[in-house]
Amino acid sequence: MHSKSSNSIPLVNISVEQSKLLSSAKRIQIISCLQNSAKTAKQVAVELQQSPGSTHYHIKKLHEGGLVDLVDTRTEGGIVEKYYLAKSKWFNTNGNQFIDPLLAEDSDSDVSSRTMLSLRLFLTPSQQEELTLEFKELLEKWVGSTSESTSEDVKEFAVGIKMLSVD
């Protein structure tokens, strides 16, 4: 079975079309589930406590979009099991665009649910790398600790971090 160590996660450049596949919290959770070891759609559905049909649909779309790989196929009792593995959990769009179009500066999303934080720091290259790693760890923590809910007070949020050199 294929697996990846957590310190060898590549940043994969993707197209704008591929980035649209990642503008869903459910698909981000699926990518996270498929990061460290290959799993079937049914295994991912059980792990995320989601319906197998919906999970299979999203994995199929991610595979068609080139964001997850089909790494193994097995036949168990006449049933074909397909094992998928995410290419990465970190993606970068080609060009100057956020992966999630909702995070674009000209997005007219609901202002009442928007939180914008901004600041400037003096950083060495190693500090920038350390801060980037801390942001990734924080985002991964939240991907792992949240789930889709039928509760009316749960909303899906787009979260993005942009770090630019002023010089």
Side-chain angles (χ1 to χ4, degrees):
M1 192 62 60
H2 292 79
S3 67
K4 296 179 186 178
S5 68
S6 59
N7 58 359
S8 66
I9 300 169
L11 177 67
V12 175
N13 286 321
I14 59 173
S15 68
V16 173
E17 293 76 27
Q18 288 173 305
S19 72
K20 291 176 184 175
L21 294 170
L22 297 174
S23 59
S24 156
K26 182 178 278 194
R27 289 184 181 166
I28 297 299
Q29 287 181 320
I30 290 170
I31 292 277
S32 184
C33 283
L34 296 174
Q35 182 55 52
N36 295 318
S37 63
K39 297 176 184 158
T40 65
K42 183 176 180 181
Q43 290 169 329
V44 172
V46 168
E47 188 173 326
L48 295 178
Q49 299 177 346
Q50 300 292 324
S51 79
S54 173
T55 302
H56 178 265
Y57 169 81
H58 288 291
I59 289 176
K60 182 178 175 188
K61 291 294 185 188
L62 290 167
H63 178 252
E64 289 170 355
L67 301 175
V68 300
D69 291 325
L70 176 61
V71 296
D72 197 11
T73 303
R74 300 178 188 168
T75 304
E76 298 284 333
I79 297 172
V80 177
E81 295 178 333
K82 295 180 179 181
Y83 288 80
Y84 296 91
L85 187 65
K87 289 191 176 184
S88 182
K89 71 169 92 174
W90 295 108
F91 300 93
N92 187 44
T93 52
N94 297 323
N96 237 359
Q97 212 166 347
F98 259 115
I99 285 182
D100 192 321
L102 193 58
L103 294 171
E105 292 174 14
D106 59 349
S107 173
D108 47 345
S109 63
D110 181 10
V111 176
S112 67
S113 67
R114 182 184 301 185
T115 302
M116 294 181 69
L117 307 171
S118 176
L119 58 85
R120 290 194 180 201
L121 302 170
F122 291 108
L123 301 172
T124 65
S126 65
Q127 288 173 321
Q128 179 194 10
E129 189 175 315
E130 181 181 349
L131 182 57
T132 300
L133 179 62
E134 288 180 25
F135 281 137
K136 286 180 175 180
E137 289 171 351
L138 178 66
L139 293 172
E140 287 176 25
K141 172 190 158 208
W142 280 96
V143 167
S145 66
T146 62
S147 63
E148 186 178 357
S149 173
T150 56
S151 173
E152 290 181 24
D153 62 342
V154 173
K155 294 180 182 179
E156 183 172 340
F157 285 82
V159 177
I161 298 168
K162 184 188 239 183
M163 192 177 346
L164 303 170
S165 173
V166 176
D167 300 331

